[in-house]
Amino acid sequence: MSKEYLSSLYQVAVDASRPQYCLPAALTRFAPDQRVCILGAGKAAADMAAQAYQYFGDNAYGAVVTRYGYETRQSTGNIEVMLAAHPVPDEHSEYAARKLLDIAATVPAGEPVIFLISGGGSALACLPGGDITLPEKLALHRFLLRSGASIDEMNTVRKHVSAIKGGRLAAACKGELTTLAISDVVGDSPAMIASGPTVQDTSTAADAVAILQRYGWDMNDTIARHLETALPLPQVGGFYEIVANAQLSVEAAIEIAKDDGWETHTISLEETGEAQEVARRHAKLALEYKQRGEPIMLFSGGELTVTLGDSQGEGGPNQEYLIALCEALRGEPTICALAADTDGVDGSKDVAGGYIDGTSLARAKEHGLNVGELLAQHNSFPFFAALDDHINVGPTRTNVNDFRVIWVK
């Protein structure tokens, strides 16, 4: 029952960050009978729009863009829900960005504008700046995703080659601006959530150039020329509130574990770094608790990375973390673990993550799998597929990044 119990804790964490639970209180600062423009982007945007419609009714109008499959089951009234690709944008991402900017430009002075922003917005609302073409920007996105760059580094680059990010969506508005955000970035920096389309940003084009050079981008192209002459990001203001983040989600799960009688320890809510390295550190900690005979649940959040290089492996950071954890635990029978992304998608496949226990290594060997080779190839997906230990929940319509728990029994 270990897998079922840890899966239930993951579901508690996801539910805590769903728009229907975290957004309504933030909307009460507005009178429901006033006309309001709603603009949004991200994996939670459609369900956030549904909550706005439930509160304002037909007084709300506008548009949001979300990932294919993340459309809401609820009515959004006069708020259009557009669909686009993630993590690599497509032509619908470009269309959506133009539509959001066009609507923003029509809002009368003084009319309230509520931006509903969540993780994934960087790709879903994507409009290249200057002379950069969409194929060129898509190539940049693919490069950044495989480079090992952190989400902060990726978003710094994205906003300086964009016509909508880095405060530019807010700068297009004359109305009274409010942003309500579900954070998917470590540290909850408003400038990094969806690349900050509605907030002031202090980064420069030179910062973007330095990041691209660090990871080996060819600086002899249109993007490099654009960054050489890019204008500073606009000055914007307005009210900003984060309505859900990793802390809210992980702590909701921790409360349930405590209520069920378990001791808990939060390793960190802001874990970053290579998935394999973090896994080995967490395994060492779990084994220390085991050796002391102390039953405990070890929780962590944040966002891990996998530097793919030339690897063509399939999977994601949570699955890679778990395989490395499994290898480091060496079949310890008293320890099991779950790691999954709260948006329901971990890396290149539409699974949220996976589960391991003391039998995982032996079962993998029975299936002819070499854990060391899978780790070297960053090919985590086949491991969990063979063991039937994927966590597969479908679109969650929210995103506060990784949820991880190690159970030392």
Side-chain angles (χ1 to χ4, degrees):
M1 295 296 290
S2 298
K3 182 179 179 181
E4 288 77 7
Y5 184 69
L6 295 189
S7 295
S8 72
L9 294 181
Y10 163 71
Q11 195 62 58
V12 168
V14 170
D15 287 345
S17 64
R18 291 186 191 275
Q20 55 264 46
Y21 299 113
C22 66
L23 188 60
L27 293 174
T28 59
R29 63 191 307 270
F30 298 93
D33 59 352
Q34 63 184 316
R35 180 174 168 83
V36 59
C37 178
I38 302 293
L39 299 172
K43 295 176 185 175
D47 271 11
M48 293 177 86
Q51 291 302 308
Y53 174 65
Q54 184 172 318
Y55 185 76
F56 292 106
D58 290 337
N59 293 316
Y61 73 98
V64 301
V65 57
T66 194
R67 188 181 193 258
Y68 299 123
Y70 281 60
E71 55 267 44
T72 183
R73 301 182 182 92
Q74 307 167 67
S75 175
T76 60
N78 298 321
I79 308 169
E80 178 183 355
V81 175
M82 301 176 285
L83 302 176
H86 183 277
V88 178
D90 62 5
E91 64 276 11
H92 296 289
S93 308
E94 187 173 35
Y95 170 84
R98 291 188 188 279
K99 181 83 177 261
L100 294 175
L101 286 167
D102 288 346
I103 295 174
T106 67
V107 178
E111 183 171 283
V113 180
I114 303 177
F115 300 109
L116 303 176
I117 303 298
S118 57
S122 291
L124 295 166
C126 174
L127 183 60
D131 296 328
I132 301 171
T133 66
L134 183 60
E136 288 170 331
K137 195 167 184 189
L138 296 185
L140 177 64
H141 273 269
R142 294 188 184 97
F143 168 81
L144 289 170
L145 287 169
R146 298 181 65 85
S147 69
S150 69
I151 187 65
D152 285 9
E153 291 173 318
M154 286 193 281
N155 285 353
T156 295
V157 173
R158 286 166 168 169
K159 66 186 63 176
H160 288 282
V161 295
S162 171
I164 189 171
K165 299 175 176 65
R168 293 184 178 93
L169 178 58
C173 286
K174 301 184 187 71
E176 296 181 357
L177 311 182
T178 296
T179 300
L180 303 176
I182 294 176
S183 172
D184 71 326
V185 302
V186 174
D188 297 335
S189 169
M192 290 299 164
I193 303 168
S195 298
T198 68
V199 296
Q200 183 64 47
D201 186 90
T202 58
S203 68
T204 66
D207 295 330
V209 169
I211 291 167
L212 291 176
Q213 290 175 333
R214 184 179 310 141
Y215 291 101
W217 177 259
D218 181 3
M219 296 303 293
N220 297 306
D221 66 351
T222 306
I223 288 172
R225 292 192 295 273
H226 173 80
L227 290 173
E228 289 175 0
T229 59
L231 295 173
L233 295 174
Q235 299 285 322
V236 295
F239 176 81
Y240 196 101
E241 180 180 353
I242 293 175
V243 298
N245 59 8
Q247 179 175 347
L248 175 77
S249 289
V250 175
E251 289 184 349
I254 288 173
E255 286 305 309
I256 296 298
K258 286 180 175 179
D259 288 345
D260 290 338
W262 289 97
E263 293 294 324
T264 68
H265 171 69
T266 303
I267 301 173
S268 173
L269 296 175
E270 299 185 350
E271 284 281 22
T272 59
E274 286 292 317
Q276 292 189 35
E277 295 174 8
V278 174
R280 287 189 282 269
R281 175 161 48 83
H282 287 189
K284 180 181 178 181
L285 180 62
L287 289 169
E288 289 172 355
Y289 276 99
K290 182 262 177 185
Q291 289 162 4
R292 294 196 299 265
E294 298 180 29
I296 198 164
M297 287 192 176
L298 305 171
F299 289 86
S300 62
E303 182 172 41
L304 306 183
T305 54
V306 176
T307 303
L308 290 170
D310 295 328
S311 168
Q312 299 301 313
E314 294 184 325
N318 286 293
Q319 293 165 81
E320 178 144 329
Y321 164 88
L322 283 171
I323 294 186
L325 185 73
C326 188
E327 182 184 56
L329 292 174
R330 300 178 181 177
E332 169 54 50
T334 65
I335 300 177
C336 57
L338 179 147
D341 202 314
T342 52
D343 66 358
V345 179
D346 181 46
S348 61
K349 295 286 190 177
D350 281 354
V351 296
Y355 166 85
I356 62 161
D357 60 23
T359 71
S360 298
L361 279 181
R363 289 188 290 135
K365 188 174 182 180
E366 291 174 359
H367 285 279
L369 297 173
N370 184 310
V371 170
E373 288 182 2
L374 292 175
L375 282 170
Q377 298 164 2
H378 305 296
N379 195 27
S380 55
F381 183 86
F383 179 91
F384 295 97
L387 273 56
D388 193 27
D389 274 335
H390 273 121
I391 302 300
N392 192 351
V393 296
T396 64
R397 299 175 182 84
T398 190
N399 185 15
V400 290
N401 272 334
D402 300 336
F403 171 88
R404 292 178 296 271
V405 57
I406 302 172
W407 193 0
V408 183
K409 298 186 180 180

